[in-house]
Amino acid sequence: MKKLSETLLLWAVGGVVYYSIECFFRGFSHWSMFLLGGACLCFFGWQGIWCGYNDPLWRQVLRCTVFIGAGEFLTGIIVNKWMHWNVWDYSDQPLHLFGQICVPFLILFSGLAAIGIYLSAWILHLLYKEKRPHFHVL
């Protein structure tokens, strides 16, 4: 039951935070971004627990950025290409893949990943008594 509670809380926090960031910067968002933001924050927390926070922060950020990119690509294929909802299009950005992901936004998302890693770790530690996170850069 504890793991379900952890997952649901991280999913809700991640969803609300990412949805809010998109609304602030774009003026709108889509419910699929709530789901993706929640999934990402769950992964941020899980990967920290799996590695025991022993991996350097740069490696955790890289792992989480790859997860974000894969999640955004798969979500984009579903909501933009298959469903034709046109939630976003990076076709005008450099180094994009089918307009669903692009390098400039992955760099931006890596910064959000770093914040999300800290946020998820401290939520899990303070509310659920998971291992106290200890971060190191190198």
PDB file of all heavy atoms in Angstrom, residues 14-42:
ATOM      1  N   GLY A  14       4.025  15.483  -9.962  1.00  0.00           N
ATOM      2  CA  GLY A  14       4.676  15.664 -11.256  1.00  0.00           C
ATOM      3  C   GLY A  14       3.721  16.185 -12.310  1.00  0.00           C
ATOM      4  O   GLY A  14       4.064  17.066 -13.106  1.00  0.00           O
ATOM      5  N   GLY A  15       2.511  15.652 -12.318  1.00  0.00           N
ATOM      6  CA  GLY A  15       1.505  16.105 -13.277  1.00  0.00           C
ATOM      7  C   GLY A  15       1.115  17.549 -13.076  1.00  0.00           C
ATOM      8  O   GLY A  15       1.082  18.339 -14.025  1.00  0.00           O
ATOM      9  N   VAL A  16       0.845  17.919 -11.840  1.00  0.00           N
ATOM     10  CA  VAL A  16       0.455  19.303 -11.543  1.00  0.00           C
ATOM     11  C   VAL A  16       1.595  20.268 -11.855  1.00  0.00           C
ATOM     12  O   VAL A  16       1.379  21.320 -12.464  1.00  0.00           O
ATOM     13  CB  VAL A  16       0.005  19.440 -10.065  1.00  0.00           C
ATOM     14  CG1 VAL A  16      -0.096  20.896  -9.648  1.00  0.00           C
ATOM     15  CG2 VAL A  16      -1.321  18.726  -9.849  1.00  0.00           C
ATOM     16  N   VAL A  17       2.806  19.917 -11.455  1.00  0.00           N
ATOM     17  CA  VAL A  17       3.944  20.813 -11.679  1.00  0.00           C
ATOM     18  C   VAL A  17       4.189  21.008 -13.170  1.00  0.00           C
ATOM     19  O   VAL A  17       4.307  22.135 -13.649  1.00  0.00           O
ATOM     20  CB  VAL A  17       5.221  20.297 -10.968  1.00  0.00           C
ATOM     21  CG1 VAL A  17       6.454  21.041 -11.431  1.00  0.00           C
ATOM     22  CG2 VAL A  17       5.061  20.418  -9.452  1.00  0.00           C
ATOM     23  N   TYR A  18       4.251  19.907 -13.934  1.00  0.00           N
ATOM     24  CA  TYR A  18       4.543  20.059 -15.365  1.00  0.00           C
ATOM     25  C   TYR A  18       3.407  20.752 -16.098  1.00  0.00           C
ATOM     26  O   TYR A  18       3.632  21.630 -16.937  1.00  0.00           O
ATOM     27  CB  TYR A  18       4.871  18.732 -16.039  1.00  0.00           C
ATOM     28  CG  TYR A  18       5.350  18.988 -17.441  1.00  0.00           C
ATOM     29  CD1 TYR A  18       6.605  19.544 -17.658  1.00  0.00           C
ATOM     30  CD2 TYR A  18       4.535  18.768 -18.537  1.00  0.00           C
ATOM     31  CE1 TYR A  18       7.034  19.859 -18.936  1.00  0.00           C
ATOM     32  CE2 TYR A  18       4.959  19.076 -19.811  1.00  0.00           C
ATOM     33  CZ  TYR A  18       6.212  19.619 -20.001  1.00  0.00           C
ATOM     34  OH  TYR A  18       6.624  19.933 -21.265  1.00  0.00           O
ATOM     35  N   TYR A  19       2.167  20.400 -15.797  1.00  0.00           N
ATOM     36  CA  TYR A  19       1.010  21.042 -16.414  1.00  0.00           C
ATOM     37  C   TYR A  19       1.036  22.548 -16.122  1.00  0.00           C
ATOM     38  O   TYR A  19       0.795  23.368 -17.017  1.00  0.00           O
ATOM     39  CB  TYR A  19      -0.267  20.404 -15.879  1.00  0.00           C
ATOM     40  CG  TYR A  19      -1.525  20.814 -16.605  1.00  0.00           C
ATOM     41  CD1 TYR A  19      -1.984  20.078 -17.688  1.00  0.00           C
ATOM     42  CD2 TYR A  19      -2.260  21.924 -16.187  1.00  0.00           C
ATOM     43  CE1 TYR A  19      -3.153  20.446 -18.353  1.00  0.00           C
ATOM     44  CE2 TYR A  19      -3.416  22.292 -16.853  1.00  0.00           C
ATOM     45  CZ  TYR A  19      -3.860  21.553 -17.931  1.00  0.00           C
ATOM     46  OH  TYR A  19      -5.013  21.927 -18.580  1.00  0.00           O
ATOM     47  N   SER A  20       1.359  22.900 -14.894  1.00  0.00           N
ATOM     48  CA  SER A  20       1.419  24.319 -14.503  1.00  0.00           C
ATOM     49  C   SER A  20       2.541  25.064 -15.224  1.00  0.00           C
ATOM     50  O   SER A  20       2.360  26.203 -15.654  1.00  0.00           O
ATOM     51  CB  SER A  20       1.602  24.444 -12.995  1.00  0.00           C
ATOM     52  OG  SER A  20       0.518  23.858 -12.325  1.00  0.00           O
ATOM     53  N   ILE A  21       3.703  24.416 -15.348  1.00  0.00           N
ATOM     54  CA  ILE A  21       4.823  25.041 -16.066  1.00  0.00           C
ATOM     55  C   ILE A  21       4.426  25.310 -17.510  1.00  0.00           C
ATOM     56  O   ILE A  21       4.667  26.398 -18.041  1.00  0.00           O
ATOM     57  CB  ILE A  21       6.084  24.156 -15.993  1.00  0.00           C
ATOM     58  CG1 ILE A  21       6.669  24.176 -14.585  1.00  0.00           C
ATOM     59  CG2 ILE A  21       7.135  24.612 -17.014  1.00  0.00           C
ATOM     60  CD1 ILE A  21       7.771  23.160 -14.349  1.00  0.00           C
ATOM     61  N   GLU A  22       3.794  24.345 -18.153  1.00  0.00           N
ATOM     62  CA  GLU A  22       3.361  24.537 -19.536  1.00  0.00           C
ATOM     63  C   GLU A  22       2.339  25.654 -19.646  1.00  0.00           C
ATOM     64  O   GLU A  22       2.414  26.469 -20.561  1.00  0.00           O
ATOM     65  CB  GLU A  22       2.766  23.240 -20.106  1.00  0.00           C
ATOM     66  CG  GLU A  22       3.740  22.484 -20.929  1.00  0.00           C
ATOM     67  CD  GLU A  22       3.078  21.646 -22.012  1.00  0.00           C
ATOM     68  OE1 GLU A  22       1.913  21.242 -21.884  1.00  0.00           O
ATOM     69  OE2 GLU A  22       3.781  21.404 -22.987  1.00  0.00           O
ATOM     70  N   CYS A  23       1.388  25.699 -18.738  1.00  0.00           N
ATOM     71  CA  CYS A  23       0.385  26.770 -18.772  1.00  0.00           C
ATOM     72  C   CYS A  23       1.045  28.124 -18.585  1.00  0.00           C
ATOM     73  O   CYS A  23       0.667  29.105 -19.251  1.00  0.00           O
ATOM     74  CB  CYS A  23      -0.683  26.544 -17.703  1.00  0.00           C
ATOM     75  SG  CYS A  23      -1.848  25.236 -18.128  1.00  0.00           S
ATOM     76  N   PHE A  24       2.028  28.200 -17.708  1.00  0.00           N
ATOM     77  CA  PHE A  24       2.710  29.469 -17.454  1.00  0.00           C
ATOM     78  C   PHE A  24       3.461  29.948 -18.701  1.00  0.00           C
ATOM     79  O   PHE A  24       3.396  31.114 -19.056  1.00  0.00           O
ATOM     80  CB  PHE A  24       3.669  29.329 -16.269  1.00  0.00           C
ATOM     81  CG  PHE A  24       4.394  30.591 -15.933  1.00  0.00           C
ATOM     82  CD1 PHE A  24       3.757  31.606 -15.240  1.00  0.00           C
ATOM     83  CD2 PHE A  24       5.713  30.777 -16.301  1.00  0.00           C
ATOM     84  CE1 PHE A  24       4.411  32.792 -14.932  1.00  0.00           C
ATOM     85  CE2 PHE A  24       6.390  31.949 -16.009  1.00  0.00           C
ATOM     86  CZ  PHE A  24       5.724  32.964 -15.310  1.00  0.00           C
ATOM     87  N   PHE A  25       4.194  29.038 -19.353  1.00  0.00           N
ATOM     88  CA  PHE A  25       5.030  29.441 -20.488  1.00  0.00           C
ATOM     89  C   PHE A  25       4.298  29.439 -21.828  1.00  0.00           C
ATOM     90  O   PHE A  25       4.607  30.264 -22.686  1.00  0.00           O
ATOM     91  CB  PHE A  25       6.286  28.561 -20.577  1.00  0.00           C
ATOM     92  CG  PHE A  25       7.295  28.906 -19.532  1.00  0.00           C
ATOM     93  CD1 PHE A  25       7.427  28.130 -18.401  1.00  0.00           C
ATOM     94  CD2 PHE A  25       8.102  30.025 -19.664  1.00  0.00           C
ATOM     95  CE1 PHE A  25       8.350  28.454 -17.414  1.00  0.00           C
ATOM     96  CE2 PHE A  25       9.015  30.365 -18.688  1.00  0.00           C
ATOM     97  CZ  PHE A  25       9.147  29.576 -17.553  1.00  0.00           C
ATOM     98  N   ARG A  26       3.347  28.527 -22.033  1.00  0.00           N
ATOM     99  CA  ARG A  26       2.637  28.444 -23.309  1.00  0.00           C
ATOM    100  C   ARG A  26       1.250  29.060 -23.259  1.00  0.00           C
ATOM    101  O   ARG A  26       0.653  29.321 -24.295  1.00  0.00           O
ATOM    102  CB  ARG A  26       2.472  26.980 -23.735  1.00  0.00           C
ATOM    103  CG  ARG A  26       3.727  26.295 -24.169  1.00  0.00           C
ATOM    104  CD  ARG A  26       3.477  24.847 -24.552  1.00  0.00           C
ATOM    105  NE  ARG A  26       2.715  24.742 -25.784  1.00  0.00           N
ATOM    106  CZ  ARG A  26       2.093  23.637 -26.182  1.00  0.00           C
ATOM    107  NH1 ARG A  26       2.112  22.550 -25.434  1.00  0.00           N
ATOM    108  NH2 ARG A  26       1.434  23.608 -27.312  1.00  0.00           N
ATOM    109  N   GLY A  27       0.719  29.197 -22.061  1.00  0.00           N
ATOM    110  CA  GLY A  27      -0.631  29.719 -21.920  1.00  0.00           C
ATOM    111  C   GLY A  27      -1.697  28.627 -21.908  1.00  0.00           C
ATOM    112  O   GLY A  27      -2.864  28.907 -21.668  1.00  0.00           O
ATOM    113  N   PHE A  28      -1.307  27.395 -22.146  1.00  0.00           N
ATOM    114  CA  PHE A  28      -2.229  26.267 -22.147  1.00  0.00           C
ATOM    115  C   PHE A  28      -1.416  24.980 -22.024  1.00  0.00           C
ATOM    116  O   PHE A  28      -0.201  24.984 -22.158  1.00  0.00           O
ATOM    117  CB  PHE A  28      -3.076  26.228 -23.427  1.00  0.00           C
ATOM    118  CG  PHE A  28      -2.276  25.975 -24.672  1.00  0.00           C
ATOM    119  CD1 PHE A  28      -2.137  24.697 -25.194  1.00  0.00           C
ATOM    120  CD2 PHE A  28      -1.648  27.031 -25.336  1.00  0.00           C
ATOM    121  CE1 PHE A  28      -1.393  24.469 -26.330  1.00  0.00           C
ATOM    122  CE2 PHE A  28      -0.902  26.812 -26.488  1.00  0.00           C
ATOM    123  CZ  PHE A  28      -0.774  25.527 -26.991  1.00  0.00           C
ATOM    124  N   SER A  29      -2.119  23.885 -21.768  1.00  0.00           N
ATOM    125  CA  SER A  29      -1.503  22.567 -21.760  1.00  0.00           C
ATOM    126  C   SER A  29      -2.544  21.557 -22.195  1.00  0.00           C
ATOM    127  O   SER A  29      -3.614  21.941 -22.684  1.00  0.00           O
ATOM    128  CB  SER A  29      -0.931  22.225 -20.376  1.00  0.00           C
ATOM    129  OG  SER A  29      -0.149  21.047 -20.453  1.00  0.00           O
ATOM    130  N   HIS A  30      -2.265  20.294 -22.022  1.00  0.00           N
ATOM    131  CA  HIS A  30      -3.164  19.216 -22.427  1.00  0.00           C
ATOM    132  C   HIS A  30      -3.084  18.147 -21.343  1.00  0.00           C
ATOM    133  O   HIS A  30      -2.029  17.942 -20.740  1.00  0.00           O
ATOM    134  CB  HIS A  30      -2.695  18.675 -23.787  1.00  0.00           C
ATOM    135  CG  HIS A  30      -3.619  17.680 -24.394  1.00  0.00           C
ATOM    136  ND1 HIS A  30      -3.442  16.320 -24.242  1.00  0.00           N
ATOM    137  CD2 HIS A  30      -4.725  17.845 -25.153  1.00  0.00           C
ATOM    138  CE1 HIS A  30      -4.405  15.690 -24.900  1.00  0.00           C
ATOM    139  NE2 HIS A  30      -5.193  16.591 -25.461  1.00  0.00           N
ATOM    140  N   TRP A  31      -4.174  17.442 -21.127  1.00  0.00           N
ATOM    141  CA  TRP A  31      -4.197  16.439 -20.050  1.00  0.00           C
ATOM    142  C   TRP A  31      -3.128  15.372 -20.233  1.00  0.00           C
ATOM    143  O   TRP A  31      -2.648  14.806 -19.251  1.00  0.00           O
ATOM    144  CB  TRP A  31      -5.583  15.823 -19.910  1.00  0.00           C
ATOM    145  CG  TRP A  31      -6.079  15.088 -21.124  1.00  0.00           C
ATOM    146  CD1 TRP A  31      -6.883  15.593 -22.113  1.00  0.00           C
ATOM    147  CD2 TRP A  31      -5.818  13.734 -21.473  1.00  0.00           C
ATOM    148  NE1 TRP A  31      -7.118  14.634 -23.059  1.00  0.00           N
ATOM    149  CE2 TRP A  31      -6.480  13.467 -22.693  1.00  0.00           C
ATOM    150  CE3 TRP A  31      -5.087  12.706 -20.885  1.00  0.00           C
ATOM    151  CZ2 TRP A  31      -6.433  12.239 -23.329  1.00  0.00           C
ATOM    152  CZ3 TRP A  31      -5.036  11.474 -21.517  1.00  0.00           C
ATOM    153  CH2 TRP A  31      -5.708  11.248 -22.726  1.00  0.00           C
ATOM    154  N   SER A  32      -2.727  15.101 -21.467  1.00  0.00           N
ATOM    155  CA  SER A  32      -1.683  14.098 -21.681  1.00  0.00           C
ATOM    156  C   SER A  32      -0.351  14.546 -21.077  1.00  0.00           C
ATOM    157  O   SER A  32       0.467  13.712 -20.685  1.00  0.00           O
ATOM    158  CB  SER A  32      -1.522  13.804 -23.175  1.00  0.00           C
ATOM    159  OG  SER A  32      -1.140  14.967 -23.885  1.00  0.00           O
ATOM    160  N   MET A  33      -0.148  15.855 -20.965  1.00  0.00           N
ATOM    161  CA  MET A  33       1.081  16.374 -20.358  1.00  0.00           C
ATOM    162  C   MET A  33       1.056  16.186 -18.842  1.00  0.00           C
ATOM    163  O   MET A  33       2.098  16.005 -18.227  1.00  0.00           O
ATOM    164  CB  MET A  33       1.288  17.846 -20.713  1.00  0.00           C
ATOM    165  CG  MET A  33       1.491  18.079 -22.207  1.00  0.00           C
ATOM    166  SD  MET A  33       2.989  17.280 -22.857  1.00  0.00           S
ATOM    167  CE  MET A  33       2.385  15.668 -23.347  1.00  0.00           C
ATOM    168  N   PHE A  34      -0.127  16.201 -18.266  1.00  0.00           N
ATOM    169  CA  PHE A  34      -0.263  15.866 -16.841  1.00  0.00           C
ATOM    170  C   PHE A  34       0.187  14.424 -16.622  1.00  0.00           C
ATOM    171  O   PHE A  34       0.970  14.139 -15.708  1.00  0.00           O
ATOM    172  CB  PHE A  34      -1.713  16.053 -16.387  1.00  0.00           C
ATOM    173  CG  PHE A  34      -1.942  15.674 -14.953  1.00  0.00           C
ATOM    174  CD1 PHE A  34      -1.838  16.622 -13.951  1.00  0.00           C
ATOM    175  CD2 PHE A  34      -2.249  14.368 -14.590  1.00  0.00           C
ATOM    176  CE1 PHE A  34      -2.037  16.275 -12.612  1.00  0.00           C
ATOM    177  CE2 PHE A  34      -2.444  14.005 -13.273  1.00  0.00           C
ATOM    178  CZ  PHE A  34      -2.339  14.967 -12.283  1.00  0.00           C
ATOM    179  N   LEU A  35      -0.287  13.512 -17.467  1.00  0.00           N
ATOM    180  CA  LEU A  35       0.082  12.099 -17.334  1.00  0.00           C
ATOM    181  C   LEU A  35       1.580  11.894 -17.526  1.00  0.00           C
ATOM    182  O   LEU A  35       2.222  11.167 -16.761  1.00  0.00           O
ATOM    183  CB  LEU A  35      -0.696  11.242 -18.332  1.00  0.00           C
ATOM    184  CG  LEU A  35      -2.214  11.218 -18.174  1.00  0.00           C
ATOM    185  CD1 LEU A  35      -2.851  10.363 -19.272  1.00  0.00           C
ATOM    186  CD2 LEU A  35      -2.620  10.716 -16.800  1.00  0.00           C
ATOM    187  N   LEU A  36       2.139  12.533 -18.545  1.00  0.00           N
ATOM    188  CA  LEU A  36       3.564  12.380 -18.821  1.00  0.00           C
ATOM    189  C   LEU A  36       4.414  12.998 -17.707  1.00  0.00           C
ATOM    190  O   LEU A  36       5.395  12.395 -17.266  1.00  0.00           O
ATOM    191  CB  LEU A  36       3.923  13.005 -20.166  1.00  0.00           C
ATOM    192  CG  LEU A  36       5.376  12.879 -20.604  1.00  0.00           C
ATOM    193  CD1 LEU A  36       5.813  11.423 -20.660  1.00  0.00           C
ATOM    194  CD2 LEU A  36       5.567  13.561 -21.943  1.00  0.00           C
ATOM    195  N   GLY A  37       4.046  14.175 -17.229  1.00  0.00           N
ATOM    196  CA  GLY A  37       4.784  14.799 -16.126  1.00  0.00           C
ATOM    197  C   GLY A  37       4.759  13.936 -14.874  1.00  0.00           C
ATOM    198  O   GLY A  37       5.761  13.802 -14.178  1.00  0.00           O
ATOM    199  N   GLY A  38       3.620  13.311 -14.603  1.00  0.00           N
ATOM    200  CA  GLY A  38       3.517  12.417 -13.457  1.00  0.00           C
ATOM    201  C   GLY A  38       4.388  11.182 -13.612  1.00  0.00           C
ATOM    202  O   GLY A  38       5.081  10.776 -12.675  1.00  0.00           O
ATOM    203  N   ALA A  39       4.372  10.603 -14.804  1.00  0.00           N
ATOM    204  CA  ALA A  39       5.207   9.425 -15.053  1.00  0.00           C
ATOM    205  C   ALA A  39       6.683   9.765 -14.898  1.00  0.00           C
ATOM    206  O   ALA A  39       7.461   8.976 -14.351  1.00  0.00           O
ATOM    207  CB  ALA A  39       4.929   8.867 -16.446  1.00  0.00           C
ATOM    208  N   CYS A  40       7.059  10.939 -15.349  1.00  0.00           N
ATOM    209  CA  CYS A  40       8.463  11.352 -15.247  1.00  0.00           C
ATOM    210  C   CYS A  40       8.888  11.502 -13.794  1.00  0.00           C
ATOM    211  O   CYS A  40       9.954  11.010 -13.402  1.00  0.00           O
ATOM    212  CB  CYS A  40       8.702  12.649 -16.030  1.00  0.00           C
ATOM    213  SG  CYS A  40       8.666  12.418 -17.819  1.00  0.00           S
ATOM    214  N   LEU A  41       8.075  12.172 -12.964  1.00  0.00           N
ATOM    215  CA  LEU A  41       8.470  12.341 -11.565  1.00  0.00           C
ATOM    216  C   LEU A  41       8.530  10.996 -10.849  1.00  0.00           C
ATOM    217  O   LEU A  41       9.413  10.781 -10.011  1.00  0.00           O
ATOM    218  CB  LEU A  41       7.531  13.309 -10.828  1.00  0.00           C
ATOM    219  CG  LEU A  41       8.110  13.824  -9.515  1.00  0.00           C
ATOM    220  CD1 LEU A  41       9.346  14.684  -9.743  1.00  0.00           C
ATOM    221  CD2 LEU A  41       7.069  14.601  -8.723  1.00  0.00           C
ATOM    222  N   CYS A  42       7.651  10.073 -11.200  1.00  0.00           N
ATOM    223  CA  CYS A  42       7.734   8.721 -10.633  1.00  0.00           C
ATOM    224  C   CYS A  42       9.070   8.088 -11.004  1.00  0.00           C
ATOM    225  O   CYS A  42       9.757   7.524 -10.137  1.00  0.00           O
ATOM    226  CB  CYS A  42       6.591   7.849 -11.138  1.00  0.00           C
ATOM    227  SG  CYS A  42       4.982   8.254 -10.442  1.00  0.00           S
TER     228      CYS A  42
END
